[in-house]
Amino acid sequence: MPRSRPRSGPTMHDVAAAAGVSQATVSLVLNSASGSRFSAETRQRVQDAVEQLGYRTNAHAKTLRDGVSGIIGFLGDAVATTPFAGKIIEGAQERAWEDGLLLLTMNTGGDKALERASLDSMLSYKVAGVVYAAMYHRRLDVPDALHGVPSVVLNSQDRDHKLPSVAPDEELGGYTATRHLLDAGHRRVAMINIESLESELPAAVGRFNGYTRALTEAGLPVKPSLVRFGTGNELDGFNHAMDLLTAEHPPTAIFCANDRTAWGAYQAASELRLTVPGDVSIVGFDNQETLAPHLRPGLTTLELPFIEMGRRAVELLLQDAEPSAQVELMTCPLIERNSVTHPKEKP
C-alpha cells in the first residue's frame, strides 16, 4: 500500500477558506499588490487566518514568478568578524526585515577568489539587491558582477563612481571633535592621525580637514609641530603622544583620529605622570565599545553610525531608483564621557 505524501503545511487555499475569501484575495493581500483595494476588515481576516494556521509563503514560487527572491545580499570583507562593525549587519538586517526580506550575509576576509565565489552564489539566489560593505572607509573597486543587480556600497565609496555609497561624514566628525576641545577652552590642540594624507584614505583626510577647519574658524593656525601621522594603532598613539607631551610647548588637548590611538595617548600621559583630563584632554574617534567606555576616565569620542548606515543602504536598495554615483555621508555623533575638561591655565 503506497504511503500518502505528507503535507508540507497549510496552503493559500486553506487560508482563503479560513478567512472566507477567494485565493486571489489572499494572494493580493499577502503581496501588498498595488491597485488592490480591500477593506481593513478583509485584510485583518486574512492576517488572522495566516497567523492561526501558521501559513508561510512559498519563497521559491515567488522567485520564479517575480524573478527576484525575498532576499537581500550582504557581502563584506571583514565586517562580520569585526566586533564594533558588526552593527552594520544589525542595521541592514533590521531594515530588511521591516519589509519582510531576509539578509543573506557572506564574509570574504578580503579574499578576492572567495568574494567572486560568494557573489556568484548570492546572485544564483536571485537576490533583490546587494549591499557591498567594507570594514573601513576607503575608495574601492566594485566587482563587475554588481553592475547587473541593484547594489549599494556601504562604509566605503565606489572608485569608478557608478554605484551609490553610504559612508561616515569624516570631515564633520573631525570638525566636531576639534570644536569640542576648542569650546572647552583649549588653544593648543594637537592631532594624531591614523594615516598620511598621501594615502588618500577618506577617514584620514576627512578627519584632518575637519580639524583644520575648526582651528581656522577659531582664528588659530594649523601648526605642523602639533600634528602627527601614525597608522591607527596603540603603539603609534603612545609614541606620538610622548613626543607631543614632552615638547617645549606641549598641547593641552589631543584629538586622536581613532580610539586605539587614544588608548596609546592615555598610556603616554600615565607614563609622564599626567592626568586625563586634568593635564591633557583627549578625544577619540570610533566609539569602539570594547575600548572607549572602559578607559579610565571614559573616552569622549565620535561614534561611527554603523546601524544607521546599514539601514540606509538597504533603504536605497528598496527605493528601486536608477543607479547613481551619489555618496551619502552620515553624521558621526559625539559621545561625551570624562576625558575632556578646560585647560589648567591659559596657553
Side-chain angles (χ1 to χ4, degrees), residues 112-153:
K112 288 301 178 183
L114 180 56
E115 178 180 272
R116 287 192 296 272
S118 297
L119 187 54
D120 285 345
S121 177
M122 189 174 285
L123 295 179
S124 73
Y125 280 90
K126 303 293 184 183
V127 292
V130 175
V131 175
Y132 187 68
M135 182 181 68
Y136 64 90
H137 187 183
R138 63 188 188 274
R139 292 182 178 85
L140 46 73
D141 297 312
V142 174
D144 291 339
L146 288 181
H147 296 137
V149 62
S151 302
V152 174
V153 176

Side-chain angles (χ1 to χ4, degrees), residues 21-195:
V21 298
S22 69
Q23 188 170 320
T25 297
V26 173
S27 177
L28 291 170
V29 168
L30 294 183
N31 289 286
S32 302
S34 59
S36 58
R37 296 179 180 178
F38 301 104
S39 67
E41 180 187 0
T42 298
R43 291 182 183 276
Q44 190 60 54
R45 290 210 314 270
V46 171
Q47 294 296 341
D48 288 345
V50 166
E51 185 174 347
Q52 179 183 356
L53 296 173
Y55 173 75
R56 291 183 176 85
T57 57
N58 187 326
H60 179 63
K62 186 178 189 304
T63 302
L64 292 175
R65 183 182 68 247
D66 300 338
V68 295
S69 66
I71 300 173
I72 288 177
F74 186 104
L75 188 64
D77 53 3
V79 172
T81 55
T82 304
F84 66 92
K87 288 187 175 181
I88 290 181
I89 298 175
E90 180 184 341
Q93 181 174 277
E94 181 182 80
R95 182 62 188 88
W97 186 248
E98 287 174 6
D99 272 41
L101 302 172
L102 298 177
L103 196 71
L104 175 62
T105 303
M106 294 185 177
N107 190 68
T108 67
D111 185 322
K112 288 301 178 183
L114 180 56
E115 178 180 272
R116 287 192 296 272
S118 297
L119 187 54
D120 285 345
S121 177
M122 189 174 285
L123 295 179
S124 73
Y125 280 90
K126 303 293 184 183
V127 292
V130 175
V131 175
Y132 187 68
M135 182 181 68
Y136 64 90
H137 187 183
R138 63 188 188 274
R139 292 182 178 85
L140 46 73
D141 297 312
V142 174
D144 291 339
L146 288 181
H147 296 137
V149 62
S151 302
V152 174
V153 176
L154 177 56
N155 202 35
S156 278
Q157 299 178 38
D158 177 11
R159 196 190 308 277
D160 292 335
H161 305 291
K162 293 180 179 178
L163 295 178
S165 306
V166 177
D169 193 332
E170 309 286 7
E171 182 172 338
L172 179 57
Y175 175 87
T176 301
T178 309
R179 185 75 252 175
H180 185 65
L181 292 168
L182 293 171
D183 288 344
H186 296 277
R187 291 299 176 266
R188 289 200 304 274
V189 180
M191 179 183 183
I192 305 176
N193 212 333
I194 55 174
E195 256 295 355

